[in-house]
Amino acid sequence: MAVEGEPRKFDPKFRGPIHNRHCTDVLCCVIFIVVILGYIALGIVAWVHGDPRKVVYPTDSHGQFCGQKDTPNENRTILFYFNILKCASPIVLINLQCPTTQLCVSKCPDRFATYIDMQASYRYKPDQWNYYRQFCKPGFNNPWKSVVQVIRDEDCPSMIIPSRPFLKRCFPDFSTKNGILTVANQTTFKDGRGKTRNVTDLREAANGINNVLDARSIGMKIFEDYASSWHWILIGLFIAMVVSLLFLVLLRFTAGVLFWIFIFGVIGMIGYGIWHCYWEYDHLRGIPGSDLTIYDIGFQTDFRVYLQLRQTWLAFMIILCIVEVIIILMLIFLRNRIRIAIALLKEGSRAVGYITSALFYPIITFILIAICISYWAVTAVFLATSGEPVYKVMANQTLCKYANLTCDPETFNTTNVTKLCSGAQCTFAFYGGESLYHRYIFIFQLANAFVFLWLVNFAIALGQCTLAGAFASYYWAFRKPADIPPWPLFSSFGRAIRYHTGSLAFGSLILAIVQLIRIILEYLDHKLKGTQNSFTRFLLCCLKCCFWCLEKFLKFINRNAYIMIAIYGKNFCASAKEAFFLLMRNVVRVAVLDKVTDFLLFLGKILVAGGVGVLAFFFFTHRIQVFTQEAPTLNYYWVPLLTVIIGSYLVAHGFFSVYAMCVDTLFLCFLEDLERHDGSPERRYYMNKSLLKILNKQNVETKRQ
């Protein structure tokens, strides 16, 4: 038996990705399929019980939707609050139920009025009652009823104030005049209970409402900008795609040049820094106070003080010298490994050129993830709106023992509650329920989130395994491109789905569990932010850090495990173990390749996003004379500009992620090639001639008879 960590022995039958495979991690595959079926069942149950209208439409005190067809509220689409002063903030109004009667109306009030004033003038101005009654309960038509009884029974609001609809709810029509908060140009109003109040009593509601209204105005302008520039944005993204492809093609010729230019540029800048530090150190010679030490002057808030000391510049010079020496020594001792990394990058560019279809595979991953996100979001909304209307006793008396207890509106008037608590009403409170299903809605939401994470990670794993199989087929083709199998990407996708769904699901499951734990920790951290327990916050911070590191490590292991699965067709654990020990036996090469690849791809993303962004800036600001007439007139030119820059970066990231997967796959194949073969006629190397030259190796040709 082979010892863990030892180089792999030669297998004369190995000729690249194995085609005669068997299904791996079958148990996990079965569990994965069962979970998907259960997830579909959860969605169906949620869709049966849920009602998204509870999120979209406001609900009156009887639990009926405003604007719902075939109901008395069909033409009453806006929610009106009898006493908005009882509501703490707009957030309470939108998400929770305000402790006041809520009524569906066809329009919001447009004037100040009180029930007392209306009643006093009813004999002379009956039209005022006709206007006021539309904000009273349906069917109430008794303007002579005493004010005390009306307020007690909540037949009508004690006052109405000028309002405007927002999110289908009537909010006070706030405005500022000379820096003073007003409503309809008034700073005071009558509350209908004999008091005159200032509109600042509504400040909590006003602040949130005005901010959101301003945001809505800005949002409309942004929408207009997108409507007039969307085709130019698409053109910018197409240019980013073309530039990304050109960059990948040119890497075959410029990878080494770009890397060495950057390295020598860093060495030159550090060298200049050393010279400048020495110049400052020598320039301060003889200046009074410059020979003091940092210890002598102690801590100073003005850090410019330290720049007047020779010791500061001496310390800077020593640090830069150490960094310079370290970089030069690393280049000397790691030069061959850097050359190998650059050669693999060039080989990756060549492989992408032969398997061009792989560049467009991220579109499939994007579609799969978009489906997962859509299903999760819809299911979450239906679960959140699965409750039945819950009614509670609303009493004016604070001492009423029945206040806030659940009640039945159909039988409420026959109970003793109205006798014991004068003015008590059974009004709609929220959506919920006491059934077994409603008790476990929170668990269902957690399950929804967990399966969503599992499916997203599976879609990513499927893409990585598919690309790895395609590029491994390229590496293990001895004569390129003649020996590359036909349709390598499609064949690799078929193998991944047919044989390794269980292995991909296993790796995705482990990652999803860690991600769910991280989400729970973030939730707990958010809930405990206001606490003063320093130990709890410290413990949460440590746990968050540990699980973040664990997630990064698992992503690294999974990625390389999927490559080994694509090559050998083994189960997840065996592939992860083999990949881990293979990389640990070549840890320096791994570090060098990883950093060189990250640098070049990051440089490519910046070049693509920055180049297209500069072009978009000159275009949308009408600075390109040729396209001055074609450029749209915008409210905010930065809206399409940022969209183009971010979109270009994402487009480049999509293409470069394929390239990064290609390089990682070729690297693992390269390491396998080194351990399996020695260049003899029976064990010939599959690597290209440049890699053989760097390693001072060669394939021994078979002598012809």
Side-chain angles (χ1 to χ4, degrees), residues 44-108:
I44 294 173
V45 172
W47 297 340
V48 170
H49 289 84
D51 190 350
R53 293 178 302 174
K54 299 171 185 176
V55 177
V56 178
Y57 298 103
T59 310
D60 65 11
S61 295
H62 298 286
Q64 298 180 351
F65 300 118
C66 296
Q68 184 178 4
K69 291 184 178 181
D70 301 326
T71 66
N73 291 332
E74 182 175 0
N75 297 321
R76 301 171 181 174
T77 59
I78 308 170
L79 190 68
F80 172 74
Y81 298 91
F82 269 31
N83 188 359
I84 199 171
L85 293 173
K86 292 184 178 181
C87 307
S89 69
I91 303 301
V92 174
L93 299 179
I94 295 170
N95 295 329
L96 303 174
Q97 290 297 320
C98 185
T100 186
T101 300
Q102 298 159 41
L103 187 71
C104 295
V105 296
S106 58
K107 62 180 181 179
C108 296

Side-chain angles (χ1 to χ4, degrees), residues 487-548:
W487 308 105
L489 187 69
F490 181 78
S491 300
S492 179
F493 180 81
R495 290 195 300 269
I497 288 291
R498 181 178 178 182
Y499 297 108
H500 307 304
T501 296
S503 298
L504 301 181
F506 189 18
S508 306
L509 173 63
I510 298 172
L511 195 55
I513 293 173
V514 174
Q515 290 173 339
L516 183 65
I517 294 174
R518 286 194 64 203
I519 292 173
I520 295 173
L521 289 175
E522 290 290 346
Y523 174 78
L524 292 176
D525 184 48
H526 176 73
K527 287 295 183 181
L528 298 175
K529 267 187 177 178
T531 63
Q532 301 299 322
N533 192 329
S534 301
F535 176 76
T536 303
R537 286 181 293 167
F538 172 76
L539 182 62
L540 273 176
C541 184
C542 291
L543 288 173
K544 287 166 58 179
C545 180
C546 291
F547 277 96
W548 180 84

Side-chain angles (χ1 to χ4, degrees), residues 76 103 129 133-143 155-156:
R76 301 171 181 174
L103 187 71
W129 166 244
R133 64 180 291 190
Q134 64 183 321
F135 304 107
C136 298
K137 288 182 177 179
F140 180 75
N141 191 17
N142 185 8
D155 295 318
C156 291

Side-chain angles (χ1 to χ4, degrees), residues 334-615:
L334 299 178
R335 62 187 184 280
N336 277 340
R337 289 180 173 85
I338 294 174
R339 292 171 64 196
I340 291 172
I342 294 173
L344 284 171
L345 288 170
K346 293 179 179 179
E347 188 69 6
S349 179
R350 193 175 292 109
V352 170
Y354 286 126
I355 311 177
T356 312
S357 58
L359 288 172
F360 301 96
Y361 184 85
I363 298 175
I364 298 177
T365 302
F366 173 79
I367 293 173
L368 292 176
I369 293 177
I371 293 173
C372 294
I373 293 175
S374 301
Y375 189 89
W376 164 79
V378 171
T379 304
V381 169
F382 274 87
L383 282 173
T385 58
S386 292
E388 300 295 331
V390 174
Y391 298 86
K392 289 195 174 185
V393 177
M394 185 182 297
N396 293 326
Q397 298 178 4
T398 56
L399 299 178
C400 179
K401 64 179 181 178
Y402 296 102
N404 293 324
L405 295 180
T406 56
C407 58
D408 185 353
E410 296 182 359
T411 61
F412 181 73
N413 292 329
T414 62
T415 63
N416 294 328
V417 178
T418 53
K419 298 178 181 178
L420 299 175
C421 302
S422 178
Q425 295 182 359
C426 183
T427 59
F428 169 78
F430 54 86
Y431 288 99
E434 299 297 330
S435 67
L436 185 65
Y437 169 77
H438 294 109
R439 290 176 185 174
Y440 288 97
I441 282 183
F442 179 73
I443 302 298
F444 293 152
Q445 287 284 24
L446 279 181
N448 183 31
F450 173 71
V451 180
F452 163 71
L453 293 173
W454 194 358
L455 290 175
V456 167
N457 285 309
F458 178 82
I460 295 172
L462 178 61
Q464 292 176 342
C465 190
T466 299
L467 293 173
F471 292 123
S473 299
Y474 165 84
Y475 185 92
W476 297 112
F478 189 77
R479 294 175 300 169
K480 301 176 179 65
D483 291 343
I484 300 176
W487 308 105
L489 187 69
F490 181 78
S491 300
S492 179
F493 180 81
R495 290 195 300 269
I497 288 291
R498 181 178 178 182
Y499 297 108
H500 307 304
T501 296
S503 298
L504 301 181
F506 189 18
S508 306
L509 173 63
I510 298 172
L511 195 55
I513 293 173
V514 174
Q515 290 173 339
L516 183 65
I517 294 174
R518 286 194 64 203
I519 292 173
I520 295 173
L521 289 175
E522 290 290 346
Y523 174 78
L524 292 176
D525 184 48
H526 176 73
K527 287 295 183 181
L528 298 175
K529 267 187 177 178
T531 63
Q532 301 299 322
N533 192 329
S534 301
F535 176 76
T536 303
R537 286 181 293 167
F538 172 76
L539 182 62
L540 273 176
C541 184
C542 291
L543 288 173
K544 287 166 58 179
C545 180
C546 291
F547 277 96
W548 180 84
C549 295
L550 180 59
E551 182 182 354
K552 294 296 181 183
F553 175 75
L554 286 175
K555 285 183 177 179
F556 174 78
I557 290 296
N558 284 10
R559 183 183 181 91
N560 290 283
Y562 299 146
I563 295 174
M564 300 301 281
I565 290 172
I567 298 174
Y568 295 109
K570 296 183 179 180
N571 61 50
F572 176 80
C573 291
S575 300
K577 184 187 71 173
E578 291 180 2
F580 178 77
F581 284 113
L582 179 63
L583 294 173
M584 288 303 101
R585 292 194 296 270
N586 299 271
V587 65
V588 179
R589 285 174 175 164
V590 172
V592 172
L593 177 74
D594 187 56
K595 296 308 173 188
V596 172
T597 305
D598 287 346
F599 161 70
L600 288 178
L601 294 186
F602 176 74
L603 180 63
K605 294 174 188 177
I606 297 300
L607 288 175
V608 172
V612 177
V614 169
L615 181 64

